[in-house]
Amino acid sequence: MLDVPQMAGATGAGCASTLVGHPLDTIKVHMQTNPKLQNTLQATKFLMRGSNHSPLVLFRGMAPPLVNAVAMNTVMFSVFRHVKSSLPDDMAGASLAAGIISGFGTAFLSTPTDYIKIQAQIHGIGSSTSAFLVNTIRSNPMILFRGHVANLGREGLFTMVYLGLYDQLRYNNNDASLIGDPIVTSSAHPLLTVAAISSFTGGLAWVASYPLDTIKSILQASTKRMTIREAFHQIWSTGGYKAFYRGCGASTGRAMLVTSIRMISYEWILTLF
């Protein structure tokens, strides 16, 4: 059964990271799906012009990921902790294996919420998010899992590098780990160290998984059903391999910011209990 500190840490980490990261995510999605937008500034101006210069446009579609953030972080940290604790202590790559499985678990939550978020960010949903969700469930519920295979790969790869590598670097030659008690108050591991390691692994994870995220965005933004192969060819036709990294600069900065805030919030909240 999930304990209170775990839930509190996941809640705080999820809310803080989503509030900070969503505006940059909106810019990233538009750059991925609109080849005419070549940089962050151009994408921001495009969005502002389309909304009468209201900055609130950057927060469009935030409700689903904000609500989902608590569940996502709870699954990510809990699955990682339980999987790693079930593996042999001397198993090489145990943290990375736990990270992959943890990512697969979060994908089942992030695919439907990402679909709603991207529909709101790209097309607008013409009504409240809850009404859009209800209408989608009534008319075609399986569409919520459009792009799920690509997202499984993205989440698995991302969490393997982000959380798995973080666990190895953060607790290297140390008895503690994410599966045990936090040692964030230790003089050897201040919050600055947590921020440095998590921003590094978060940025690295995002660059590694970004092509899969671009494919997922194309699949979920499309108004018609597409295969991964069709999405791949569509992206390639707009600029070759570079097209898969369109918007990567903005989103990598976001990833480093969000992942460090998430981990700092999580580990700091655990020390309060």
Side-chain angles (χ1 to χ4, degrees):
M1 192 169 93
L2 184 67
D3 55 21
V4 173
Q6 185 80 16
M7 175 63 82
T11 300
C15 292
S17 59
T18 302
L19 287 170
V20 171
H22 191 80
L24 286 173
D25 183 73
T26 299
I27 294 171
K28 181 264 297 182
V29 169
H30 276 271
M31 291 182 69
Q32 286 177 323
T33 57
N34 188 346
K36 295 180 180 179
L37 303 177
Q38 297 298 317
N39 55 62
T40 301
L41 181 60
Q42 187 179 12
T44 303
K45 290 181 177 179
F46 172 80
L47 287 166
M48 296 294 285
R49 284 197 302 269
S51 63
N52 294 321
H53 301 283
S54 171
L56 292 179
V57 69
L58 298 175
F59 292 90
R60 181 186 293 166
M62 190 178 72
L66 184 61
V67 172
N68 193 48
V70 175
M72 283 272 292
N73 281 275
T74 299
V75 170
M76 182 178 70
F77 287 115
S78 297
V79 172
F80 181 89
R81 180 180 60 183
H82 289 301
V83 170
K84 190 182 176 192
S85 64
S86 67
L87 297 174
D89 293 336
D90 58 349
M91 175 182 173
S95 295
L96 299 180
I100 292 175
I101 297 174
S102 175
F104 288 164
T106 60
F108 285 91
L109 295 173
S110 63
T111 298
T113 54
D114 277 1
Y115 174 77
I116 297 172
K117 178 197 71 175
I118 287 176
Q119 288 295 311
Q121 288 173 324
I122 298 298
H123 306 296
I125 53 179
S127 61
S128 68
T129 301
S130 58
F132 176 79
L133 176 59
V134 170
N135 291 335
T136 301
I137 292 175
R138 287 176 177 173
S139 59
N140 186 11
M142 291 308 298
I143 200 173
L144 293 172
F145 282 88
R146 176 177 288 175
H148 184 56
V149 174
N151 195 42
L152 277 171
R154 181 187 75 97
E155 291 282 15
L157 180 58
F158 178 87
T159 312
M160 178 189 73
V161 179
Y162 168 50
L163 203 54
L165 186 58
Y166 172 87
D167 188 68
Q168 288 193 334
L169 294 176
R170 168 90 157 86
Y171 302 103
N172 188 33
N173 299 321
N174 207 304
D175 292 334
S177 81
L178 283 176
I179 67 173
D181 295 328
I183 55 171
V184 71
T185 55
S186 168
S187 59
H189 295 286
L191 286 176
L192 184 60
T193 302
V194 175
I197 297 175
S198 59
S199 62
F200 168 72
T201 60
L204 183 62
W206 192 239
V207 171
S209 62
Y210 197 82
L212 287 169
D213 185 73
T214 299
I215 292 173
K216 179 190 72 71
S217 293
I218 291 295
L219 291 171
Q220 294 187 322
S222 176
T223 56
K224 63 180 182 178
R225 185 178 180 85
M226 297 178 67
T227 65
I228 292 179
R229 183 174 182 177
E230 289 171 338
F232 179 92
H233 285 299
Q234 177 178 316
I235 298 166
W236 184 272
S237 67
T238 63
Y241 74 92
K242 292 182 179 180
F244 289 90
Y245 284 93
R246 186 179 293 122
C248 187
S251 62
T252 301
R254 164 189 170 273
M256 296 177 70
L257 178 65
V258 168
T259 52
S260 61
I261 289 176
R262 175 190 294 148
M263 199 62 72
I264 289 173
S265 301
Y266 177 78
E267 295 225 40
W268 179 73
I269 290 173
L270 291 186
T271 65
L272 303 178
F273 292 87

